[in-house]
Amino acid sequence: MTDAITAYHARMLRVLDHIDRHLDDTLDLETLAGVAAFSKHHFHRQFSALLGIGVSRYVQLLRMKRAAYRLAYRETPVTEIALDTGYEAPESFTRAFRTMFGQAPGEFRKLPAWESWLQACGPLANPRSFQMTTPTPDQVEIVTTDAASVAVLTHRGDPARIGDTIQRFIAWRRATGLTPKVSATYNIFHSDPATTAPEDYRLDLCAATDRPVAPNDDGVVPGEIPAGRAARLTITGSSDDLGPAADWLYREWLPASGEEPRDFPFYCRRVSFFPDVPEHEAVTELYLPLA
């Protein structure tokens, strides 16, 4: 990549960063063109050509994605979500949400159609990939972790349906008082969705707890993340797809490190996550257990 192209991309990255940091503000074409130091007469086509989506559509999708997360995973009133998404009335928000996702906000809150949601949010993938930076070896720390007793809810089946399992786990955590404010959140990746048939996919949702996990109808059981050495890579920003970072650890870092993996799956700790913080501020620690 030439220096000119690198500089050009850096200007567009400034725009994406500005949008993330000012999602609640007015994000008109002239303002965003100014952030990139591009002509307002050409900026929209430059954005679309490079990222595969128009800038107005991109902003709308990000706001609607946040709204969907808050509907599915939080108890924020619909009216408040509508105002935060930029709509003055819940009715106009409802129409826009239904047009985009095929469900009214209340319907989505009760029983989200995740397949439709994933399809609608598909155009966000290219801009998010554009924002990703390849990790460097100096970002990896070798740490020794203590054992963590956890409550576990296992998702088995199509990764596209994991939102349903997350909803059940959040409801159980609220009912038992093990919210993320008082209990660390982990995911254990038993399968790689890129190489595993959907029906065989498995992911464990975990909440740290020192107390016994009482028998329940939700399928939550006690478990443990064992103590030991691990390579830790901290990711700041969107955690929708941790695959590229995991692939880098296995493909680049592990062979060059001289280390051997331990007989425990790859896992992560969700230190802070969207929508509780803006997506660009989310922090995820990836752990590759080492012998």
Side-chain angles (χ1 to χ4, degrees):
M1 186 180 294
T2 67
D3 291 343
I5 292 176
T6 299
Y8 186 94
H9 286 185
R11 292 161 73 183
M12 200 63 78
L13 283 168
R14 286 206 307 267
V15 175
L16 297 179
D17 184 68
H18 182 87
I19 292 171
D20 279 343
R21 295 179 183 279
H22 300 86
L23 199 55
D24 292 322
D25 299 339
T26 300
L27 293 168
D28 57 80
L29 203 61
E30 185 170 359
T31 298
L32 295 177
V35 170
F38 287 135
S39 165
K40 65 180 180 180
H41 300 292
H42 304 287
F43 174 68
H44 189 275
R45 285 195 173 186
Q46 290 172 286
F47 191 98
S48 301
L50 187 60
L51 301 175
I53 181 176
V55 63
S56 299
R57 180 68 170 169
Y58 176 70
V59 171
Q60 182 191 34
L61 267 178
L62 283 184
R63 287 172 174 165
M64 284 296 200
K65 177 185 175 182
R66 182 181 64 180
Y69 269 61
R70 295 176 74 188
L71 286 165
Y73 302 141
R74 302 295 180 264
E75 298 178 310
T76 313
V78 173
T79 299
E80 182 179 335
I81 294 173
L83 292 172
D84 289 346
T85 309
Y87 293 88
E88 295 183 358
E91 294 78 14
S92 55
F93 169 67
T94 295
R95 286 193 297 272
F97 194 92
R98 187 193 297 275
T99 298
M100 184 169 290
F101 299 124
Q103 290 181 292
E107 295 170 332
F108 187 87
R109 170 161 273 171
K110 291 178 183 176
L111 190 64
W114 290 110
E115 290 87 351
S116 298
W117 179 87
L118 283 168
Q119 184 176 5
C121 289
L124 293 176
N126 192 46
R128 286 307 184 195
S129 296
F130 183 74
Q131 284 181 295
M132 290 179 186
T133 56
T134 302
T136 56
D138 61 291
Q139 292 176 265
V140 179
E141 303 173 87
I142 295 181
V143 297
T144 300
T145 64
D146 296 328
S149 297
V150 292
V152 182
L153 179 60
T154 296
H155 173 84
R156 292 183 183 272
D158 192 342
R161 302 298 308 173
I162 197 170
D164 295 335
T165 309
I166 292 173
Q167 280 189 300
R168 283 170 43 216
F169 195 49
I170 289 173
W172 181 86
R173 294 183 75 172
R174 285 183 185 138
T176 57
L178 289 176
T179 63
K181 290 183 179 179
V182 299
S183 171
T185 299
Y186 297 91
N187 297 154
I188 302 175
F189 303 96
H190 294 270
S191 309
D192 179 356
T195 59
T196 305
E199 62 272 18
D200 296 328
Y201 181 74
R202 177 185 170 188
L203 169 73
D204 289 345
L205 307 176
C206 306
T209 179
D210 291 328
R211 64 190 193 218
V213 177
N216 59 86
D217 296 329
D218 298 294
V220 180
V221 297
E224 182 181 78
I225 298 174
R229 297 173 69 248
R232 181 174 66 195
L233 174 64
T234 301
I235 303 294
T236 301
S238 175
S239 60
D240 284 349
D241 185 4
L242 297 173
D247 288 344
W248 177 85
L249 277 171
Y250 283 104
R251 183 185 63 247
E252 305 290 343
W253 183 84
L254 187 60
S257 70
E259 297 282 352
E260 291 290 332
R262 180 163 32 109
D263 190 21
F264 187 79
F266 179 76
Y267 68 97
C268 78
R269 180 187 174 198
R270 308 279 184 174
V271 179
S272 59
F273 37 85
F274 179 75
D276 296 331
V277 299
E279 197 161 15
H280 69 280
E281 294 179 2
V283 176
T284 307
E285 294 175 344
L286 309 185
Y287 289 87
L288 175 56
L290 301 174

